[in-house]
Amino acid sequence: MRRRRYYHLMIVAGLLLGAVTQASSVLVAPHHIFIDHRVRSATIQLFNAGDQTEEVSIETVFGYPATDSLGRVYLYTEPAESEAELEERSAAGWIRAFPRRVTVRPGQRQTIRLLAQPPADLADGEYWTRVVVHAKGQHLPLAVSDGADIEVGLDLEVRTVIALTYRKGDVETGVRMSEVAPRIVGDTLYARPLLERDGEAAYIGMLRTEVVDSSGEVVREWEEQVAVYESLHRQLRYPVTDLPQGPYTVRMTVSTDRDDIEPPELLVATPVSDSATVIR
Amino acid sequence: MLGLTLATANTLAAQNAATIQAVATVASGPITVTPLRDLQFGQVMPGTPSTVLPTAPAAGQYVALGIPSAQASVNFTLPSTLDAGPVTMPIAFSPTSARVGWFNNPNFFVQVFDPSVGTAFRFSPAFFGSAMYVWIGGQVSPAVSQVAGFYSGTVVLTLAYTGS
Protein backbone atom coordinates (compact mmCIF):
# COMPACT_ATOMS: atom_id res chain seq x y z
CA MET A 1 0.00 0.00 0.00
CA ARG A 2 2.76 2.39 0.94
CA ARG A 3 4.67 1.58 -2.22
CA ARG A 4 1.60 2.53 -4.21
CA ARG A 5 1.39 5.82 -2.36
CA TYR A 6 5.04 6.53 -3.11
CA TYR A 7 4.38 5.82 -6.76
CA HIS A 8 1.49 8.25 -6.87
CA LEU A 9 3.56 10.78 -5.02
CA MET A 10 6.41 10.48 -7.45
CA ILE A 11 4.13 10.80 -10.42
CA VAL A 12 2.61 13.98 -9.03
CA ALA A 13 5.97 15.47 -8.14
CA GLY A 14 7.44 14.31 -11.40
CA LEU A 15 4.76 16.02 -13.41
CA LEU A 16 5.24 19.11 -11.33
CA LEU A 17 9.01 19.16 -11.65
CA GLY A 18 8.96 18.16 -15.24
CA ALA A 19 6.86 21.19 -15.93
CA VAL A 20 9.01 23.34 -13.70
CA THR A 21 12.38 22.94 -15.28
CA GLN A 22 14.32 21.45 -18.11
CA ALA A 23 17.19 20.47 -15.85
CA SER A 24 18.49 17.66 -13.71
CA SER A 25 16.30 16.69 -10.80
CA VAL A 26 16.06 13.67 -8.53
CA LEU A 27 13.20 13.17 -6.12
CA VAL A 28 14.08 11.30 -2.95
CA ALA A 29 11.44 9.68 -0.73
CA PRO A 30 10.75 9.19 2.07
CA HIS A 31 12.47 11.90 4.07
CA HIS A 32 12.80 9.69 7.15
CA ILE A 33 13.44 5.96 7.04
CA PHE A 34 12.63 3.61 9.89
CA ILE A 35 14.06 0.11 10.10
CA ASP A 36 12.96 -2.44 12.66
CA HIS A 37 15.49 -4.99 13.86
CA ARG A 38 13.09 -7.80 12.98
CA VAL A 39 13.00 -6.69 9.34
CA ARG A 40 16.45 -5.14 8.90
CA SER A 41 15.70 -3.57 5.56
CA ALA A 42 13.97 -0.64 3.94
CA THR A 43 13.86 1.11 0.59
CA ILE A 44 14.43 4.57 -0.80
CA GLN A 45 12.62 5.63 -3.93
CA LEU A 46 14.36 7.83 -6.47
CA PHE A 47 12.65 9.44 -9.40
CA ASN A 48 14.38 11.41 -12.12
CA ALA A 49 11.97 14.21 -12.91
CA GLY A 50 14.44 16.09 -15.09
CA ASP A 51 15.43 15.66 -18.69
CA GLN A 52 19.02 14.56 -18.09
CA THR A 53 20.45 11.26 -16.99
CA GLU A 54 21.57 11.38 -13.37
CA GLU A 55 24.46 9.62 -11.72
CA VAL A 56 23.40 8.92 -8.14
CA SER A 57 25.49 7.60 -5.29
CA ILE A 58 24.34 6.62 -1.82
CA GLU A 59 26.34 6.70 1.41
CA THR A 60 25.63 6.73 5.12
CA VAL A 61 27.04 9.13 7.68
CA PHE A 62 26.43 9.44 11.38
CA GLY A 63 24.61 12.64 12.21
CA TYR A 64 21.65 14.43 13.70
CA PRO A 65 20.29 17.99 14.05
CA ALA A 66 22.08 20.07 16.65
CA THR A 67 22.41 23.74 17.60
CA ASP A 68 25.48 25.93 17.75
CA SER A 69 26.35 28.49 20.43
CA LEU A 70 24.12 31.08 18.77
CA GLY A 71 21.11 28.78 18.67
CA ARG A 72 21.32 28.05 14.97
CA VAL A 73 20.28 24.59 13.82
CA TYR A 74 22.68 22.59 11.73
CA LEU A 75 23.15 18.98 10.83
CA TYR A 76 25.99 17.54 12.83
CA THR A 77 27.62 14.82 10.75
CA GLU A 78 30.75 12.74 10.86
CA PRO A 79 32.08 10.42 8.17
CA ALA A 80 31.28 6.80 8.83
CA GLU A 81 34.91 5.83 8.87
CA SER A 82 35.73 8.32 11.61
CA GLU A 83 35.68 7.70 15.32
CA ALA A 84 32.02 8.63 15.34
CA GLU A 85 31.29 5.26 13.86
CA LEU A 86 32.27 3.83 17.17
CA GLU A 87 29.70 5.88 18.99
CA GLU A 88 27.04 3.74 20.55
CA ARG A 89 24.27 5.45 18.63
CA SER A 90 25.68 5.20 15.14
CA ALA A 91 24.24 2.83 12.58
CA ALA A 92 26.33 4.33 9.79
CA GLY A 93 28.84 1.52 9.80
CA TRP A 94 26.36 -1.32 9.33
CA ILE A 95 23.69 0.04 7.03
CA ARG A 96 24.42 -0.81 3.41
CA ALA A 97 22.76 0.56 0.28
CA PHE A 98 22.17 -1.59 -2.81
CA PRO A 99 23.05 -0.39 -5.34
CA ARG A 100 25.37 2.27 -4.00
CA ARG A 101 25.80 3.83 -7.42
CA VAL A 102 23.14 3.98 -10.07
CA THR A 103 22.34 5.81 -13.26
CA VAL A 104 18.78 7.07 -13.41
CA ARG A 105 17.43 8.09 -16.78
CA PRO A 106 14.82 10.82 -17.24
CA GLY A 107 11.42 9.61 -16.11
CA GLN A 108 12.88 6.51 -14.52
CA ARG A 109 12.12 5.30 -11.02
CA GLN A 110 14.81 3.54 -9.04
CA THR A 111 14.54 1.63 -5.78
CA ILE A 112 17.51 1.64 -3.42
CA ARG A 113 17.48 -1.14 -0.85
CA LEU A 114 18.96 -0.52 2.55
CA LEU A 115 20.09 -3.60 4.41
CA ALA A 116 21.15 -3.59 8.04
CA GLN A 117 23.93 -5.85 9.26
CA PRO A 118 24.19 -4.86 12.91
CA PRO A 119 26.62 -6.45 15.35
CA ALA A 120 25.36 -9.74 16.75
CA ASP A 121 25.42 -8.36 20.27
CA LEU A 122 23.55 -5.16 19.44
CA ALA A 123 21.73 -3.98 22.55
CA ASP A 124 18.07 -3.00 22.50
CA GLY A 125 17.65 0.65 21.64
CA GLU A 126 17.57 3.16 18.83
CA TYR A 127 20.41 3.80 16.39
CA TRP A 128 20.81 6.65 13.96
CA THR A 129 22.41 7.51 10.68
CA ARG A 130 21.85 9.81 7.75
CA VAL A 131 21.55 8.63 4.19
CA VAL A 132 23.20 10.94 1.69
CA VAL A 133 21.91 10.84 -1.88
CA HIS A 134 24.41 12.54 -4.17
CA ALA A 135 23.10 13.40 -7.64
CA LYS A 136 25.26 14.64 -10.49
CA GLY A 137 23.74 16.16 -13.54
CA GLN A 138 23.57 19.18 -15.83
CA HIS A 139 27.24 19.19 -16.84
CA LEU A 140 28.79 22.17 -18.50
CA PRO A 141 29.80 21.96 -22.13
CA LEU A 142 33.53 21.42 -22.33
CA ALA A 143 34.11 23.20 -25.61
CA VAL A 144 36.11 26.42 -25.62
CA SER A 145 35.21 29.07 -28.14
CA ASP A 146 38.52 29.49 -29.94
CA GLY A 147 41.15 28.21 -27.54
CA ALA A 148 42.55 31.68 -26.96
CA ASP A 149 40.13 32.81 -24.25
CA ILE A 150 39.86 32.12 -20.54
CA GLU A 151 36.40 30.73 -19.86
CA VAL A 152 35.13 29.92 -16.37
CA GLY A 153 32.10 28.00 -15.19
CA LEU A 154 31.03 25.74 -12.32
CA ASP A 155 28.74 22.72 -12.27
CA LEU A 156 26.09 22.51 -9.59
CA GLU A 157 25.47 19.21 -7.83
CA VAL A 158 23.13 18.16 -5.05
CA ARG A 159 23.37 16.10 -1.89
CA THR A 160 20.04 15.29 -0.27
CA VAL A 161 20.34 14.04 3.29
CA ILE A 162 17.57 12.00 4.90
CA ALA A 163 17.27 10.52 8.37
CA LEU A 164 17.41 6.81 9.12
CA THR A 165 16.33 5.37 12.45
CA TYR A 166 17.00 1.75 13.40
CA ARG A 167 15.14 0.28 16.33
CA LYS A 168 15.68 -2.90 18.27
CA GLY A 169 13.16 -3.84 20.92
CA ASP A 170 10.77 -1.48 22.62
CA VAL A 171 11.97 2.06 22.92
CA GLU A 172 10.46 5.15 24.46
CA THR A 173 10.95 8.82 23.94
CA GLY A 174 10.25 12.02 25.77
CA VAL A 175 11.57 15.52 26.10
CA ARG A 176 12.39 17.99 28.83
CA MET A 177 11.92 21.71 28.21
CA SER A 178 13.50 24.53 30.20
CA GLU A 179 14.85 28.04 29.83
CA VAL A 180 11.72 29.41 28.22
CA ALA A 181 12.65 33.05 28.61
CA PRO A 182 10.85 35.01 25.91
CA ARG A 183 11.55 38.65 25.19
CA ILE A 184 10.23 41.10 22.69
CA VAL A 185 12.67 43.44 21.00
CA GLY A 186 11.13 45.79 18.49
CA ASP A 187 8.67 43.76 16.44
CA THR A 188 10.26 40.39 17.13
CA LEU A 189 9.58 37.81 19.80
CA TYR A 190 12.68 35.89 20.81
CA ALA A 191 12.68 32.61 22.70
CA ARG A 192 15.31 29.99 23.16
CA PRO A 193 13.93 26.94 24.93
CA LEU A 194 16.31 24.16 25.86
CA LEU A 195 14.96 20.79 24.70
CA GLU A 196 16.64 17.67 26.00
CA ARG A 197 15.83 14.13 25.01
CA ASP A 198 14.35 12.01 27.78
CA GLY A 199 14.33 8.36 26.81
CA GLU A 200 16.40 6.11 24.61
CA ALA A 201 14.75 7.18 21.34
CA ALA A 202 15.00 10.49 19.52
CA TYR A 203 12.09 12.84 20.07
CA ILE A 204 10.42 13.67 16.77
CA GLY A 205 7.68 16.23 17.28
CA MET A 206 6.33 19.73 16.98
CA LEU A 207 7.01 22.83 19.02
CA ARG A 208 4.03 25.16 19.27
CA THR A 209 4.53 28.70 20.52
CA GLU A 210 1.46 30.67 21.55
CA VAL A 211 1.12 34.26 22.66
CA VAL A 212 -1.81 34.59 25.05
CA ASP A 213 -3.26 37.94 26.09
CA SER A 214 -4.62 38.88 29.50
CA SER A 215 -8.09 37.57 28.61
CA GLY A 216 -6.70 34.15 27.81
CA GLU A 217 -7.10 34.46 24.08
CA VAL A 218 -4.36 33.11 21.84
CA VAL A 219 -3.40 36.08 19.68
CA ARG A 220 -0.38 34.64 17.88
CA GLU A 221 0.84 31.10 17.29
CA TRP A 222 3.55 29.34 15.36
CA GLU A 223 4.66 25.74 14.90
CA GLU A 224 8.05 24.21 14.25
CA GLN A 225 9.11 20.66 13.55
CA VAL A 226 11.67 19.54 16.10
CA ALA A 227 13.93 16.54 16.30
CA VAL A 228 15.74 16.13 19.60
CA TYR A 229 18.42 13.49 19.30
CA GLU A 230 20.53 14.81 22.15
CA SER A 231 19.53 18.39 22.91
CA LEU A 232 18.42 21.48 21.03
CA HIS A 233 18.87 25.03 22.23
CA ARG A 234 17.43 26.79 19.28
CA GLN A 235 16.99 30.53 18.93
CA LEU A 236 13.45 31.20 17.73
CA ARG A 237 12.35 34.50 16.22
CA TYR A 238 8.76 35.37 15.43
CA PRO A 239 7.29 38.61 14.12
CA VAL A 240 4.87 40.36 16.46
CA THR A 241 4.20 43.38 14.33
CA ASP A 242 0.84 44.97 15.18
CA LEU A 243 0.68 43.20 18.54
CA PRO A 244 -0.75 45.79 20.97
CA GLN A 245 1.34 46.81 23.96
CA GLY A 246 0.73 45.00 27.22
CA PRO A 247 1.60 41.86 29.14
CA TYR A 248 1.36 38.48 27.47
CA THR A 249 2.00 34.89 28.33
CA VAL A 250 4.18 32.94 25.95
CA ARG A 251 3.26 29.28 26.14
CA MET A 252 5.46 26.69 24.46
CA THR A 253 4.28 23.12 23.99
CA VAL A 254 6.22 20.20 22.59
CA SER A 255 4.22 17.26 21.34
CA THR A 256 4.62 14.27 19.09
CA ASP A 257 1.83 15.54 16.87
CA ARG A 258 3.47 15.02 13.47
CA ASP A 259 1.50 14.38 10.31
CA ASP A 260 4.46 13.53 8.10
CA ILE A 261 5.42 10.35 9.97
CA GLU A 262 3.06 7.45 10.44
CA PRO A 263 2.48 5.46 13.61
CA PRO A 264 3.94 3.14 14.76
CA GLU A 265 7.11 4.72 13.41
CA LEU A 266 6.21 7.92 15.19
CA LEU A 267 6.74 7.37 18.90
CA VAL A 268 4.06 9.03 21.00
CA ALA A 269 4.88 10.86 24.22
CA THR A 270 2.99 13.06 26.63
CA PRO A 271 3.10 16.73 25.57
CA VAL A 272 5.31 19.02 27.61
CA SER A 273 4.50 22.69 28.17
CA ASP A 274 6.11 25.68 29.80
CA SER A 275 5.23 29.33 29.84
CA ALA A 276 6.55 32.72 30.82
CA THR A 277 5.37 36.30 30.86
CA VAL A 278 6.58 38.89 28.41
CA ILE A 279 5.85 42.60 28.10
CA ARG A 280 5.22 44.15 24.72
CA MET B 1 12.43 32.20 -21.69
CA LEU B 2 13.96 31.11 -18.45
CA GLY B 3 11.94 33.67 -16.56
CA LEU B 4 8.78 32.47 -18.24
CA THR B 5 9.60 28.89 -17.43
CA LEU B 6 10.21 29.67 -13.79
CA ALA B 7 7.19 31.86 -13.50
CA THR B 8 5.21 28.91 -14.75
CA ALA B 9 7.01 26.81 -12.21
CA ASN B 10 5.82 28.98 -9.38
CA THR B 11 2.28 28.83 -10.60
CA LEU B 12 2.35 25.10 -11.00
CA ALA B 13 4.01 24.65 -7.65
CA ALA B 14 1.27 26.62 -6.01
CA GLN B 15 -1.43 24.72 -7.83
CA ASN B 16 -0.02 21.36 -6.86
CA ALA B 17 1.05 22.20 -3.37
CA ALA B 18 -2.10 20.89 -1.76
CA THR B 19 -1.61 17.56 -3.45
CA ILE B 20 1.96 17.30 -2.26
CA GLN B 21 0.99 18.20 1.27
CA ALA B 22 -1.81 15.68 1.36
CA VAL B 23 0.39 12.87 0.14
CA ALA B 24 3.13 13.86 2.54
CA THR B 25 0.70 13.30 5.35
CA VAL B 26 0.45 9.62 4.64
CA ALA B 27 3.67 8.79 2.91
CA SER B 28 6.45 10.73 4.62
CA GLY B 29 7.15 13.56 2.21
CA PRO B 30 9.82 13.56 -0.45
CA ILE B 31 12.50 16.11 -1.10
CA THR B 32 13.72 17.27 -4.47
CA VAL B 33 16.60 19.61 -5.18
CA THR B 34 17.16 20.79 -8.73
CA PRO B 35 20.07 22.79 -10.10
CA LEU B 36 18.42 25.32 -12.38
CA ARG B 37 21.47 27.18 -13.60
CA ASP B 38 25.23 26.77 -13.34
CA LEU B 39 27.48 29.46 -11.93
CA GLN B 40 28.96 31.05 -15.05
CA PHE B 41 31.75 33.59 -15.09
CA GLY B 42 32.04 33.38 -18.85
CA GLN B 43 35.09 34.96 -20.40
CA VAL B 44 37.49 36.60 -17.96
CA MET B 45 40.62 38.72 -18.48
CA PRO B 46 44.10 37.79 -17.23
CA GLY B 47 45.02 39.70 -14.09
CA THR B 48 41.48 41.02 -13.57
CA PRO B 49 39.29 39.52 -10.86
CA SER B 50 35.76 38.74 -11.95
CA THR B 51 32.80 38.67 -9.59
CA VAL B 52 29.36 37.16 -10.07
CA LEU B 53 26.88 38.39 -7.48
CA PRO B 54 24.17 36.00 -6.29
CA THR B 55 21.65 38.42 -7.76
CA ALA B 56 23.22 38.30 -11.21
CA PRO B 57 21.76 36.31 -14.11
CA ALA B 58 25.05 34.38 -14.22
CA ALA B 59 24.71 33.22 -10.59
CA GLY B 60 24.20 29.57 -9.84
CA GLN B 61 20.65 28.71 -8.86
CA TYR B 62 18.86 25.78 -7.26
CA VAL B 63 15.25 25.14 -6.38
CA ALA B 64 14.18 22.65 -3.73
CA LEU B 65 10.71 21.30 -3.09
CA GLY B 66 9.90 19.75 0.26
CA ILE B 67 7.52 19.63 3.19
CA PRO B 68 5.62 22.92 3.56
CA SER B 69 7.18 25.21 6.18
CA ALA B 70 9.69 22.57 7.28
CA GLN B 71 13.14 23.81 8.09
CA ALA B 72 16.21 22.47 6.32
CA SER B 73 19.90 23.10 6.68
CA VAL B 74 21.53 24.51 3.56
CA ASN B 75 25.26 23.93 3.14
CA PHE B 76 27.73 24.11 0.30
CA THR B 77 30.88 22.22 -0.54
CA LEU B 78 32.95 24.78 -2.38
CA PRO B 79 36.10 24.59 -4.46
CA SER B 80 39.09 26.83 -3.74
CA THR B 81 40.48 26.45 -7.24
CA LEU B 82 39.14 25.76 -10.70
CA ASP B 83 40.96 23.49 -13.09
CA ALA B 84 41.76 23.48 -16.77
CA GLY B 85 43.75 20.29 -17.01
CA PRO B 86 46.81 20.77 -14.79
CA VAL B 87 46.37 24.54 -14.60
CA THR B 88 44.38 26.13 -11.77
CA MET B 89 42.68 29.42 -11.00
CA PRO B 90 41.64 30.56 -7.51
CA ILE B 91 37.99 31.09 -6.69
CA ALA B 92 36.62 32.69 -3.53
CA PHE B 93 33.23 33.13 -1.89
CA SER B 94 32.33 36.01 0.40
CA PRO B 95 29.95 36.08 3.40
CA THR B 96 27.30 37.52 1.08
CA SER B 97 27.81 35.19 -1.86
CA ALA B 98 24.68 33.14 -1.26
CA ARG B 99 20.99 33.83 -0.88
CA VAL B 100 17.95 31.73 -0.11
CA GLY B 101 14.29 32.60 -0.42
CA TRP B 102 10.80 31.40 -1.18
CA PHE B 103 10.39 33.02 -4.55
CA ASN B 104 12.23 32.98 -7.84
CA ASN B 105 13.70 36.41 -7.21
CA PRO B 106 17.06 36.86 -5.45
CA ASN B 107 16.08 40.38 -4.39
CA PHE B 108 12.71 39.59 -2.84
CA PHE B 109 12.42 38.48 0.81
CA VAL B 110 15.66 36.53 0.88
CA GLN B 111 18.18 35.59 3.51
CA VAL B 112 21.78 36.43 2.68
CA PHE B 113 24.32 33.95 3.99
CA ASP B 114 27.91 32.85 3.78
CA PRO B 115 28.06 29.74 1.59
CA SER B 116 31.14 28.52 3.41
CA VAL B 117 29.14 28.50 6.66
CA GLY B 118 25.66 27.56 5.50
CA THR B 119 22.33 28.38 7.05
CA ALA B 120 18.95 26.94 7.95
CA PHE B 121 15.82 28.03 6.16
CA ARG B 122 12.19 27.00 5.89
CA PHE B 123 10.45 25.72 2.82
CA SER B 124 7.65 28.07 1.87
CA PRO B 125 4.11 27.33 3.00
CA ALA B 126 2.03 25.15 0.71
CA PHE B 127 0.28 28.08 -0.89
CA PHE B 128 3.69 29.37 -2.02
CA GLY B 129 4.65 26.01 -3.46
CA SER B 130 6.65 24.40 -0.59
CA ALA B 131 9.74 25.73 -2.33
CA MET B 132 13.14 27.09 -1.48
CA TYR B 133 15.32 28.90 -4.01
CA VAL B 134 19.08 29.16 -3.49
CA TRP B 135 21.53 31.39 -5.37
CA ILE B 136 25.30 31.43 -5.26
CA GLY B 137 27.90 33.79 -6.70
CA GLY B 138 31.65 34.07 -6.26
CA GLN B 139 34.87 35.67 -7.44
CA VAL B 140 37.64 34.25 -9.60
CA SER B 141 41.09 35.77 -9.80
CA PRO B 142 42.93 34.85 -12.98
CA ALA B 143 46.65 35.52 -12.88
CA VAL B 144 48.28 37.94 -15.26
CA SER B 145 49.90 34.94 -16.91
CA GLN B 146 46.80 32.75 -16.74
CA VAL B 147 46.81 30.18 -19.51
CA ALA B 148 43.83 30.21 -21.87
CA GLY B 149 41.35 27.39 -21.46
CA PHE B 150 38.07 26.34 -19.91
CA TYR B 151 38.33 26.40 -16.11
CA SER B 152 35.71 24.36 -14.34
CA GLY B 153 34.81 23.18 -10.87
CA THR B 154 31.90 21.86 -8.90
CA VAL B 155 29.65 23.40 -6.26
CA VAL B 156 27.70 20.90 -4.18
CA LEU B 157 24.58 21.95 -2.28
CA THR B 158 23.66 19.75 0.68
CA LEU B 159 20.11 19.96 1.95
CA ALA B 160 18.79 18.19 5.04
CA TYR B 161 15.64 18.53 7.08
CA THR B 162 16.43 19.66 10.61
CA GLY B 163 13.11 18.39 11.98
CA SER B 164 13.68 14.68 11.49
Side-chain angles (χ1 to χ4, degrees):
Chain A
M1 182 63 182
R2 172 171 288 191
R3 184 182 302 274
R4 187 176 174 186
R5 287 172 178 158
Y6 282 145
Y7 182 74
H8 290 159
L9 175 65
M10 287 186 286
I11 293 298
V12 170
L15 290 172
L16 169 62
L17 290 168
V20 165
T21 176
Q22 298 299 306
S24 57
S25 179
V26 172
L27 180 149
V28 180
H31 73 281
H32 197 146
I33 300 161
F34 293 87
I35 299 179
D36 188 275
H37 184 69
R38 293 166 295 187
V39 179
R40 304 190 191 189
S41 68
T43 60
I44 301 173
Q45 302 295 330
L46 307 178
F47 179 72
N48 185 348
D51 64 351
Q52 299 180 15
T53 298
E54 292 279 351
E55 298 173 15
V56 180
S57 61
I58 316 290
E59 64 175 328
T60 54
V61 297
F62 178 60
Y64 50 81
T67 43
D68 65 13
S69 60
L70 298 177
R72 296 176 298 200
V73 183
Y74 70 101
L75 189 71
Y76 164 79
T77 57
E78 290 289 344
E81 63 271 19
S82 75
E83 292 183 0
E85 185 180 356
L86 302 177
E87 291 192 26
E88 294 180 356
R89 288 289 190 173
S90 177
W94 41 268
I95 298 288
R96 301 277 187 266
F98 298 97
R100 291 199 314 181
R101 294 181 184 277
V102 65
T103 298
V104 188
R105 293 189 299 274
Q108 183 184 2
R109 186 167 67 114
Q110 173 72 46
T111 298
I112 303 295
R113 299 198 177 280
L114 300 171
L115 299 181
Q117 298 172 309
D121 59 348
L122 186 72
D124 283 3
E126 189 176 89
Y127 301 85
W128 310 320
T129 188
R130 299 276 151 172
V131 179
V132 181
V133 180
H134 188 166
K136 297 180 180 180
Q138 199 179 26
H139 298 291
L140 290 170
L142 295 178
V144 180
S145 54
D146 58 7
D149 297 329
I150 303 173
E151 299 271 351
V152 181
L154 287 87
D155 284 329
L156 302 188
E157 296 180 359
V158 172
R159 296 199 326 156
T160 305
V161 184
I162 57 178
L164 188 151
T165 299
Y166 186 93
R167 290 180 184 145
K168 182 183 180 187
D170 293 329
V171 293
E172 293 183 347
T173 191
V175 69
R176 296 187 301 274
M177 179 164 53
S178 60
E179 301 184 18
V180 176
R183 59 193 173 91
I184 293 178
V185 179
D187 289 333
T188 304
L189 168 67
Y190 294 88
R192 195 175 173 190
L194 174 61
L195 303 177
E196 298 171 284
R197 176 174 52 83
D198 187 13
E200 59 270 68
Y203 186 93
I204 308 296
M206 296 293 291
L207 169 62
R208 174 185 289 267
T209 302
E210 298 171 307
V211 177
V212 183
D213 67 13
S214 55
S215 69
E217 181 182 357
V218 176
V219 293
R220 298 285 189 282
E221 62 181 339
W222 304 271
E223 278 193 331
E224 307 274 351
Q225 291 185 348
V226 292
V228 185
Y229 284 73
E230 295 293 348
S231 66
L232 279 183
H233 202 189
R234 181 175 164 187
Q235 178 69 67
L236 301 168
R237 299 180 182 83
Y238 298 117
V240 288
T241 310
D242 301 332
L243 186 70
Q245 292 188 341
Y248 294 91
T249 297
V250 174
R251 183 168 60 217
M252 309 192 86
T253 303
V254 190
S255 72
T256 50
D257 183 19
R258 286 279 290 258
D259 61 5
D260 60 324
I261 299 174
E262 290 183 273
E265 295 163 343
L266 180 67
L267 298 179
V268 177
T270 303
V272 173
S273 291
D274 200 355
S275 61
T277 301
V278 67
I279 303 295
R280 164 70 160 148
Chain B
M1 179 59 189
L2 180 62
L4 177 62
T5 301
L6 297 178
T8 305
N10 278 338
T11 305
L12 288 170
Q15 289 174 344
N16 287 276
T19 304
I20 289 177
Q21 185 179 34
V23 176
T25 299
V26 297
S28 199
I31 184 169
T32 306
V33 190
T34 303
L36 291 179
R37 193 175 62 209
D38 287 327
L39 172 55
Q40 291 282 13
F41 289 87
Q43 187 174 339
V44 300
M45 301 299 293
T48 304
S50 177
T51 300
V52 172
L53 298 174
T55 53
Q61 184 184 8
Y62 297 85
V63 62
L65 299 178
I67 297 174
S69 301
Q71 188 191 57
S73 62
V74 181
N75 293 91
F76 283 101
T77 302
L78 302 168
S80 57
T81 58
L82 304 176
D83 303 323
V87 188
T88 62
M89 178 190 301
I91 182 170
F93 301 88
S94 80
T96 58
S97 284
R99 295 186 173 207
V100 59
W102 285 353
F103 307 102
N104 183 32
N105 184 340
N107 294 302
F108 186 65
F109 284 104
V110 295
Q111 177 179 319
V112 177
F113 68 99
D114 185 342
S116 64
V117 176
T119 191
F121 198 74
R122 293 168 181 273
F123 285 91
S124 66
F127 51 86
F128 287 140
S130 309
M132 180 188 299
Y133 290 87
V134 183
W135 295 266
I136 184 165
Q139 183 182 63
V140 294
S141 302
V144 173
S145 58
Q146 194 77 46
V147 176
F150 186 87
Y151 291 79
S152 64
T154 301
V155 169
V156 182
L157 174 68
T158 299
L159 203 78
Y161 284 121
T162 60
S164 64

